[in-house]
Amino acid sequence: MPDMNFAPIHAAPAGQPLYKAVARALLGAIESGQLKAGDALANEGELARDFGVSVGTLRKAVDELVAAQILLRQQGRGTFVATHTRDRFLFQFFQVQSLEGAKEFPQVETLDCTRGKADEAEAHKLGIRQGEAVLRIRNRLHLRGAAVVYDRICLPARLFKGLTEKRVLDRPSTLYHLYQVGFGVTVVRAQERLRAVACSREAARVLGLAAGAPVLQVHRVALGLNGQPVEYRVSTVDTAHHEYVSDLSPA
């Protein structure tokens, strides 16, 4: 457990409950790298004393970050900064299933990782200047041996200094795990837009389809802890034997 002392919080911004300010302070410690993936938090009593708030207020702040999957409670062990795992990726960020409803972790084949300059669409999605340095990764995802998804991923280079094709190829887990552990960039949620399109020649070659075949195209902007865009991904999905499944919860 890291040795940390938080400054007391005497008041929250106008119109905001005190626990929100506590949650923001904890989030700031994660964003800055003071608290890293897998680190344990001090017990609730100690944290409450550090912040100068009640245990109830501290608990509400932690509850909010647990609900956002930024923190993770483990029964009998404590509360930890959540780490991106294969299971988290599968159940939170990978929505492609077979028509029979089976959900499985894809076999990911990285085709290449290159550097370039952001085009207009990439710059708009990532909130950066057109022409700014970016990294582009192309992946082909297989399910039960069949190529089903073609991902084109764009990252702002300034957030991923030192990321090379070798690091991408040699990663032991998911890209989101690599972002978090290697670069302190934690993906907490994503915004997606879906539409049916005719398969491009490039995607057709990668997926073994006929150019012009009907496919699903998913545009995803992945957001970090502070709501900053950290990844823009365009996925082409062959829906002949698979579908995109979204579980919605009531607001």
Side-chain angles (χ1 to χ4, degrees):
M1 176 168 43
D3 184 16
M4 295 189 65
N5 289 310
F6 292 97
I9 295 175
H10 301 294
Q16 193 177 88
L18 189 57
Y19 80 88
K20 290 277 189 182
V22 176
R24 179 64 249 181
L26 288 169
L27 198 55
I30 299 170
E31 289 173 355
S32 68
Q34 292 175 281
L35 282 170
K36 296 180 172 58
D39 279 351
L41 269 63
N43 67 54
E44 291 181 343
E46 290 178 38
L47 282 174
R49 283 193 296 275
D50 282 349
F51 284 119
V53 299
S54 69
V55 170
T57 295
L58 185 282
R59 190 169 293 153
K60 286 186 71 173
V62 171
D63 286 345
E64 180 165 278
L65 298 181
V66 168
Q69 300 188 62
I70 295 167
L71 296 178
L72 173 68
R73 281 197 179 100
Q74 294 187 0
Q75 189 67 33
R77 293 193 60 213
T79 303
F80 299 80
V81 180
T83 302
H84 269 290
T85 62
R86 284 168 57 98
D87 285 347
R88 182 176 178 186
F89 175 81
L90 179 63
F91 291 104
Q92 187 178 0
F93 294 105
F94 188 68
Q95 311 296 341
V96 179
Q97 299 181 18
S98 69
L99 296 180
E100 295 78 29
K103 193 164 190 178
E104 60 183 290
F105 193 85
Q107 178 188 353
V108 182
E109 175 190 1
T110 296
L111 304 177
D112 53 41
C113 175
T114 59
R115 290 180 173 268
K117 296 182 178 180
D119 61 27
E120 184 178 2
E122 292 167 338
H124 173 69
K125 294 293 187 180
L126 291 172
I128 61 178
R129 296 187 307 275
Q130 187 172 346
E132 190 170 322
V134 294
L135 297 159
R136 297 190 180 99
I137 301 168
R138 297 192 309 142
N139 284 338
R140 174 165 47 201
L141 279 59
H142 300 258
L143 292 167
R144 299 183 183 180
V148 177
V149 182
Y150 171 43
D151 281 341
R152 290 180 292 128
I153 299 164
C154 184
L155 307 172
R158 57 183 170 77
L159 293 182
F160 298 92
K161 294 177 181 177
L163 180 60
T164 61
E165 184 172 63
K166 185 176 189 306
R167 289 193 73 178
V168 172
L169 292 171
D170 292 346
R171 66 189 186 276
S173 186
T174 67
L175 275 176
Y176 286 3
H177 180 270
L178 175 63
Y179 297 169
Q180 184 184 44
V181 173
F183 302 93
V185 175
T186 299
V187 175
V188 295
R189 62 189 181 92
Q191 298 170 340
E192 294 185 332
R193 293 179 178 271
L194 293 74
R195 60 175 177 260
V197 300
C199 191
S200 68
R201 291 185 181 277
E202 178 187 356
R205 286 195 300 271
V206 172
L207 294 175
L209 300 174
V215 291
L216 182 68
Q217 192 174 81
V218 183
H219 292 250
R220 170 190 292 176
V221 177
L223 304 174
L225 291 166
N226 57 2
Q228 174 189 18
V230 298
E231 178 200 82
Y232 172 46
R233 179 183 302 226
V234 180
S235 301
T236 301
V237 184
D238 178 7
T239 57
H241 303 289
H242 294 81
E243 56 192 0
Y244 192 93
V245 178
S246 179
D247 292 326
L248 302 178
S249 300

